[in-house]
């Protein structure tokens, strides 16, 4: 049996409810974007908020609060067939209780643990690798993560810039995190594009690159170490590695009115 659901976390919890109620283990769980033709019978699972709520409440009761947080994060990972693994994990949790979190020898638990570790590690790196630019008095940044990290990034940047308006565009998943007037929202924006930087922003980017190049010690360059600490796949969205086509970036120095402490790039 293959379950088909609408792609939301509540929808996945309804898949768990159906699996338990029907006493069946699905061979696969497919969202709207990853369904493939199969020889197995398919069943469409409609999102029922009452069923989803029952499963949500039962997880911390049967397995502990840690398990609920773990499942929420597992849903954000880029693990192939993550929905199937989550359904299997929760079925195990109902059978074994809180000790399911320590069953690392089990293939399902181990796969989810590795996926969540990858998710949290990527989110942690992005808290330091994100570079904001000013666009019409709003801080804006673009990222291309493997995992869906916006919910994990929101608390960090909302706490760091409580009085600013900013947005982070996840180009990989086509979603935007917006923080405005103390309120946070994540919404779909598949056709979203950041506007071109103005002259002042280009000068600040030039200043940031100048600072990056100035503090470097040529005799201690270690490309391999740099790529270990700062993986290359993040470079495309980092100001110090970007190559601007505008000639303003090639200026020897920014105007005198621009002070170093005004740098808008996130260090």
């Amino acid at each position: 049996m293959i379950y088909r659901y609408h792609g939301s976390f509540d929808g996945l919890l309804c898949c768990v409810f159906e699996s338990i109620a029907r006493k069946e283990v699905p061979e696969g769980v497919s969202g709207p974007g990853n369904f493939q033709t199969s020889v197995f019978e398919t069943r469409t699972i409609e999102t029922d908020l009452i069923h989803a709520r029952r499963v949500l409440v039962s997880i911390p009761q049967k397995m502990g609060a840690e398990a609920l947080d773990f499942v929420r994060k597992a849903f954000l990972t880029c693990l192939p067939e993550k929905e199937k693994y989550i359904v299997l994990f929760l079925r195990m949790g109902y059978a074994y209780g809180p000790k399911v979190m320590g069953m690392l020898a089990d293939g399902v638990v181990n796969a989810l643990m590795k996926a969540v570790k990858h998710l949290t590690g990527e989110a942690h790196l992005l808290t330091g690798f994100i570079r904001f630019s000013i666009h019409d008095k709003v801080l804006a940044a673009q990222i291309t993560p493997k995992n869906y990290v916006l919910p994990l990034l929101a608390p960090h940047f909302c706490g760091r810039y409580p009085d600013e308006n900013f947005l982070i565009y996840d180009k990989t998943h086509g979603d935007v995190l917006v923080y405005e007037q103390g309120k946070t929202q994540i919404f779909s924006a598949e056709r979203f594009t950041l506007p071109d930087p103005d002259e002042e922003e280009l000068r600040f980017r030039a200043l940031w690159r100048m600072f990056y190049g100035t503090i470097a010690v040529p005799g201690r360059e270690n490309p391999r170490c740099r790529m270990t600490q700062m993986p290359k796949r993040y470079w495309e969205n980092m100001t110090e590695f970007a190559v601007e086509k505008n000639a303003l970036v090639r200026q020897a120095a920014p105007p005198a009115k621009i002070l170093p402490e005004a740098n808008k790039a996130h260090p």
Side-chain angles (χ1 to χ4, degrees):
M1 178 65 66
I2 301 292
Y3 284 180
R4 298 183 65 178
Y5 80 114
H6 294 166
S8 66
F9 185 67
D10 285 335
L12 180 59
L13 295 181
C14 290
C15 292
V16 177
F17 182 91
E18 290 293 328
S19 175
I20 299 296
R22 294 177 180 270
K23 298 181 180 180
E24 64 183 13
V25 180
E27 182 64 27
V29 182
S30 300
N34 60 1
F35 179 75
Q36 297 180 353
T37 303
S38 172
V39 296
F40 295 102
E41 182 182 354
T42 63
R43 176 177 290 124
T44 299
I45 308 298
E46 299 295 337
T47 301
D48 185 322
L49 295 182
I50 295 178
H51 290 175
R53 177 65 180 175
R54 288 179 61 180
V55 176
L56 186 69
V57 171
S58 70
I59 295 174
Q61 291 177 345
K62 299 291 186 178
M63 310 167 219
E66 183 184 2
L68 178 58
D69 180 67
F70 177 70
V71 169
R72 287 185 182 277
K73 289 179 178 177
F75 185 69
L76 302 178
T77 67
C78 60
L79 176 69
E81 298 187 292
K82 62 184 178 184
E83 294 93 344
K84 175 184 175 180
Y85 281 105
I86 291 173
V87 171
L88 294 176
F89 171 80
L90 290 177
R91 288 181 63 92
M92 291 176 58
Y94 289 126
Y96 295 104
K99 67 179 182 180
V100 69
M101 293 297 296
M103 299 172 61
L104 300 182
D106 182 84
V108 171
V109 180
N110 187 267
L112 288 177
M113 284 287 183
K114 289 181 178 179
V116 170
K117 183 178 179 180
H118 184 251
L119 165 77
T120 55
E122 184 172 48
H124 173 71
L125 288 175
L126 283 170
T127 59
F129 292 164
I130 284 181
R131 302 291 185 257
F132 285 103
S133 296
I134 289 289
H135 295 280
D136 193 22
K137 299 182 181 180
V138 175
L139 292 171
Q142 176 177 291
I143 57 176
T144 50
K146 293 181 179 180
N147 300 282
Y148 193 73
V149 296
L150 290 181
L152 276 64
L153 294 176
H156 173 84
F157 287 104
C158 291
R160 181 159 189 173
Y161 303 127
D163 301 322
E164 298 282 354
N165 294 327
F166 67 82
L167 65 86
I168 301 175
Y169 173 48
D170 181 346
K171 187 177 180 180
T172 304
H173 302 91
D175 282 3
V176 179
L177 165 66
V178 176
Y179 178 78
E180 185 177 13
Q181 297 179 352
K183 297 181 180 180
T184 306
Q185 182 180 6
I186 298 176
F187 59 89
S188 178
E190 294 182 358
R191 298 183 179 180
F192 179 85
T193 55
L194 291 173
D196 293 331
D198 57 21
E199 293 186 3
E200 183 182 17
E201 175 60 32
L202 288 173
R203 292 191 182 102
F204 274 113
R205 292 183 182 185
L207 177 61
W208 181 242
R209 272 188 284 268
M210 181 185 300
F211 168 76
Y212 183 78
T214 301
I215 64 173
V217 181
R220 300 188 65 183
E221 287 186 0
N222 188 335
R224 178 175 295 182
C225 179
R226 179 172 67 172
M227 283 191 288
T228 299
Q229 302 297 325
M230 186 183 292
K232 202 167 186 177
R233 68 185 180 90
Y234 296 102
W235 292 9
E236 63 176 300
N237 298 309
M238 300 178 71
T239 308
E240 55 267 43
F241 296 110
V243 178
E244 303 284 359
K245 295 180 180 180
N246 196 302
L248 286 171
V249 177
R250 295 192 293 270
Q251 291 182 348
K257 66 178 181 179
I258 299 179
L259 302 177
E261 58 266 29
N263 182 13
K264 301 181 183 67
H266 174 60

